[in-house]
């Protein structure tokens, strides 16, 4: 069984449509693929329909932008009720934060002679529930300012970049509780990448587990072997599930993030989602 529990379509900042993503997952020999767009569930229906005709199980999911002790933490959610009112409300706040950030990023870029309009970004983010930094990067590529999406994250849009602007993120502990209340499962995505490694200590995971956390994504491209082992140890100590995934974004990220780049053990998948 080949199980990949974290991927993005163009309903957030991936480049495949949900249908293309599911077809590519089947092509890559995956048995299970979770669609986990940033802060949105708008791709679920299309992805589930695409899975119907194929030999691949589609797990509806999400990757929510949250904050914990001042650091950004990504929280994966699976199999929850997408209409659970308090969760819908919180996701609206996050999506609004994305839209409010966009003109401020563009103003910063303009100060440095990079002229991108909201319409330029909308051409890139057309199918997405809201804009993200990768769409701004794509607009910079389209206008010839840079050659590839990644270049925008070297000095412009990364957290210390000249055009970086923060945005609203959901409080982590409460978001875990919201996912649980909506009947879903919650897993911390790539906990020890960029910044969040400073706050996600084993003591912090104890607090998250008490709030209802189900699992830890240990096997991710951003983690070296030492991090993977450390996270597995923490998961074992707290009886949390360990997952692995690609964080596939289509052509929006390097080939290191290809479908199936990291996999989830079938027994862990069973524990997480009870299939
Ligand atoms: P946002 O959701 O708008 O805050 O942008 C964050 C997204 O940008 C992440 O989910 C990644 O998909 C992408 N990203 C972040 N850092 C980089 C990077 N250094 N290179 C390429 N993409 C990145
Ligand atoms: Zn992304
Ligand atoms: Fe993430
Ligand atoms: Fe992701």
């Amino acid at each position: 069984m080949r199980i990949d529990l974290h991927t993005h379509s163009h309903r957030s900042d991936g480049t495949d449509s949900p249908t293309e993503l599911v077809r590519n997952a089947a092509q890559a020999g995956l048995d299970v693929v979770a669609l986990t767009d940033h802060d949105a569930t708008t791709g679920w229906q299309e992805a589930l329909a695409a899975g119907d005709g194929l030999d691949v199980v589609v797990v509806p999911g999400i990757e929510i932008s949250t904050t914990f002790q001042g650091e950004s933490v990504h929280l994966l959610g699976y199999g929850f009720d997408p209409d659970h009112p308090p969760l819908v409300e919180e996701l609206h706040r996050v999506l609004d934060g994305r839209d409010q950030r966009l003109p401020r990023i563009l103003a910063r870029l303009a100060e440095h002679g990079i002229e991108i309009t909201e319409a330029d970004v909308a051409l890139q983010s057309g199918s997405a529930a809201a804009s993200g930094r990768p769409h701004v990067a794509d607009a910079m590529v389209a206008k010839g300012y840079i050659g590839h999406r990644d270049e925008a994250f070297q000095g412009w849009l990364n957290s210390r970049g000249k055009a970086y602007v923060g945005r609203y993120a959901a409080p982590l502990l409460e978001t875990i509780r919201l996912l649980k209340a909506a009947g879903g499962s919650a897993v911390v995505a790539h906990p020890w990448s960029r910044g969040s490694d400073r706050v996600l200590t084993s003591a912090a995971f104890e607090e998250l587990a008490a709030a209802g956390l189900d699992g830890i994504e240990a096997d991710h491209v951003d983690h070296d072997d030492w991090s993977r082992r450390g996270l597995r140890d923490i998961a074992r100590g707290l009886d949390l599930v360990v997952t692995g995934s690609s964080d596939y974004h289509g052509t929006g990220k390097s080939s290191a993030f290809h479908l199936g780049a990291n996999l989830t053990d079938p027994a862990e998948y069973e524990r997480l989602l009870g299939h």
Side-chain angles (χ1 to χ4, degrees):
M1 284 265 279
R2 289 166 52 77
I3 303 165
D4 186 339
L5 292 183
H6 178 172
T7 71
H8 298 269
S9 76
H10 71 186
R11 299 309 174 96
S12 61
D13 56 7
T15 57
D16 289 356
S17 68
T19 302
E20 288 164 343
L21 184 143
V22 172
R23 286 191 187 143
N24 286 332
Q27 194 81 38
L30 294 180
D31 300 289
V32 178
V33 65
L35 175 66
T36 54
D37 276 315
H38 297 288
D39 310 314
T41 59
T42 55
W44 283 18
Q45 215 183 352
E46 188 185 319
L48 288 166
D52 263 352
L54 296 167
D55 226 8
V56 57
V57 172
V58 174
V59 176
I62 194 166
E63 183 177 20
I64 305 179
S65 311
T66 79
T67 181
F68 182 69
Q69 295 175 2
E71 290 288 348
S72 155
V73 172
H74 287 179
L75 183 69
L76 295 162
Y78 301 103
F80 54 90
D81 171 9
D83 299 320
H84 183 66
L87 181 60
V88 170
E89 239 175 74
E90 187 62 53
L91 292 176
H92 272 140
R93 271 194 286 277
V94 177
L95 293 171
D96 284 348
R98 287 179 169 280
D99 289 334
Q100 286 159 16
R101 173 185 61 171
L102 179 60
R104 300 175 59 208
I105 292 179
L106 300 183
R108 294 254 173 117
L109 287 172
E111 284 167 22
H112 292 90
I114 296 183
E115 302 288 343
I116 307 277
T117 65
E118 288 196 46
D120 294 329
V121 178
L123 279 179
Q124 307 301 325
S125 67
S127 308
S131 62
R133 283 177 281 166
H135 302 122
V136 177
D138 291 346
M140 290 169 73
V141 173
K143 292 215 129 182
Y145 288 110
I146 54 171
H148 188 271
R149 189 186 263 197
D150 286 345
E151 284 170 53
F153 285 92
Q154 294 156 17
W156 294 111
L157 303 178
N158 53 303
S159 59
R160 282 200 288 258
K162 291 196 271 288
Y164 179 77
V165 177
R167 62 180 168 86
Y168 175 78
L172 175 59
L173 290 168
E174 271 165 50
T175 310
I176 291 171
R177 292 189 195 106
L178 279 178
L179 283 169
K180 302 306 293 179
S185 311
V187 173
V188 178
H190 48 71
W192 287 355
S193 65
R194 298 182 225 120
S196 58
D197 55 342
R198 291 197 285 130
V199 295
L200 292 176
T201 59
S202 60
F205 274 113
E206 233 173 281
E207 214 181 316
L208 305 191
L213 185 73
D214 297 287
I216 299 179
E217 184 184 59
D219 291 313
H220 184 281
V221 175
D222 288 355
H223 293 153
D224 59 18
D225 286 342
W226 180 85
S227 297
R228 293 175 191 219
R229 270 199 301 276
L231 288 165
R232 268 171 207 285
D233 285 346
I234 290 174
R236 196 176 304 118
L238 293 170
D239 200 27
L240 296 173
V241 166
V242 170
T243 69
S245 70
S246 62
D247 205 356
Y248 173 76
H249 281 67
T251 56
K253 276 198 177 178
S254 82
S255 58
F257 295 79
H258 65 88
L259 285 163
N262 291 286
L263 298 170
T264 298
D265 187 277
E268 296 295 279
Y269 171 63
E270 186 83 26
R271 271 177 65 197
L272 183 66
L273 295 166
H275 289 291

